[in-house]
């Protein structure tokens, strides 16, 4: 698995990020031959995640070199980030020269805010897919969606699927399979409730009522306020 050519993979970091949106694909992509990972934020201050701990950026926006792969994670902090001009400008500038532009979960809305999903097929977390037309995207029911150089994926754990898909595109299936084996990504969950298509209806209704109806309304308001 040797490769002399380096690939810079830059993750956007922002307050309120869902840490697994970032750390899951970062873990897989870091094992790709030639990978060089960066985490870029508005400053080098610690970034508070949704899990009660913080992460440290490697770069601020001004010092971050051009990305070959740009990845935008999601999280409840996306609604605030949508209104931050410096964040959107960073996405726009980095995306212009990137080979691949990607998102995990609600990170898709930051791509959309930067004008990168116009007319593109895309996906996001199931609780927000109905909002994708607000950023010009065509909602597509799949865990990973590729449209040109844009790759979007569903919620949280979908980041691993996206990462392995991208490794396969860049380095071939054998390398992607080796990484999957190395991290023992062999899902066998105790319940088949990972998507509304399979979860009990009362579980889906409860989660929508207690979390995602309000969260989606907040996202919609943020999109309306910034478009």
């Amino acid at each position: 698995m040797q490769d002399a050519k380096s690939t810079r993979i830059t993750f956007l970091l922002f307050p309120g990020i869902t840490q697994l949106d970032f750390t899951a694909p970062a873990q897989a992509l870091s094992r790709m031959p030639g990978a060089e990972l960066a985490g870029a934020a508005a400053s080098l201050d610690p970034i508070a995640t949704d899990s009660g701990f913080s992460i440290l950026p490697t770069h601020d926006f001004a010092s971050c070199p051009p990305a070959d792969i740009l990845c935008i994670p999601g999280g409840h902090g996306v609604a605030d980030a949508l209104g931050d001009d410096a964040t959107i400008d960073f996405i726009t500038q980095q995306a212009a020269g990137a080979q691949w532009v990607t998102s995990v979960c609600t990170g898709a809305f930051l791509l959309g805010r930067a004008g990168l999903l116009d007319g593109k097929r895309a996906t996001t977390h199931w609780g927000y897919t109905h909002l994708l037309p607000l950023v010009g995207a065509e909602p597509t029911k799949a865990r990973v969606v590729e449209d040109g150089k844009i790759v979007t994926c569903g919620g949280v754990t979908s980041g691993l699927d996206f990462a392995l898909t991208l490794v396969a595109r860049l380095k071939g299936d054998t390398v992607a399979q080796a990484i999957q084996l190395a991290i023992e990504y062999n899902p066998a969950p105790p319940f088949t409730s990972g998507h509304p298509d399979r979860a009990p209806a009362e579980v889906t209704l409860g989660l929508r009522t207690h979390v995602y109806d309000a969260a989606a309304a907040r996202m919609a308001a943020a999109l309306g306020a910034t478009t």
Side-chain angles (χ1 to χ4, degrees):
M1 296 171 63
Q2 298 296 315
D3 193 321
K5 186 182 186 316
S6 65
T7 302
R8 178 167 292 279
I9 305 164
T10 298
F11 289 85
L12 173 71
L13 304 178
F14 53 88
I17 190 174
T18 293
Q19 63 84 19
L20 197 61
D21 284 10
F22 161 52
T23 55
Q27 183 65 65
L29 290 169
S30 70
R31 295 178 181 239
M32 185 176 73
E36 295 181 2
L37 268 64
S43 75
L44 295 177
D45 294 335
I47 297 292
T49 73
D50 65 350
S51 300
F53 60 83
S54 296
I55 50 181
L56 288 175
T58 60
H59 297 79
D60 60 18
F61 292 159
S63 67
C64 189
D68 298 306
I69 299 171
L70 177 64
C71 183
I72 312 300
H76 289 298
V78 164
D80 291 329
L82 284 166
D84 185 73
D85 290 341
T87 296
I88 303 306
D89 288 347
F90 175 77
I91 295 171
T92 302
Q93 292 164 12
Q94 288 284 331
Q99 180 183 359
W100 295 92
V101 177
T102 71
S103 67
V104 180
C105 197
T106 53
F109 295 104
L110 289 169
L111 291 185
R113 179 70 180 96
L116 298 168
L117 294 186
D118 289 345
K120 297 288 188 180
R121 294 179 296 107
T123 191
T124 187
H125 186 286
W126 59 264
Y128 302 84
T129 53
H130 62 291
L131 300 179
L132 284 170
L134 294 178
V135 292
E138 176 188 338
T140 303
K141 192 174 183 178
R143 195 160 166 85
V144 179
V145 175
E146 300 177 63
D147 192 331
K149 75 172 190 177
I150 306 292
V151 183
T152 56
C153 70
V156 194
T157 60
S158 302
L160 272 176
D161 299 64
F162 133 70
L164 293 170
T165 298
L166 199 56
V167 172
R169 297 286 178 270
L170 291 167
K171 305 295 181 181
D173 290 357
T174 299
V175 172
Q177 289 169 346
I179 292 172
Q180 181 177 356
L181 178 59
I183 63 176
E184 200 171 343
Y185 179 42
N186 186 32
F191 307 104
T192 57
S193 58
H195 189 274
D197 286 350
R198 293 177 293 281
E202 65 272 17
V203 173
T204 301
L205 177 61
L207 198 55
R208 284 192 186 277
T209 301
H210 290 99
V211 178
Y212 289 111
D213 284 347
R218 181 169 178 254
M219 186 76 76
L223 290 166
T226 56
T227 53

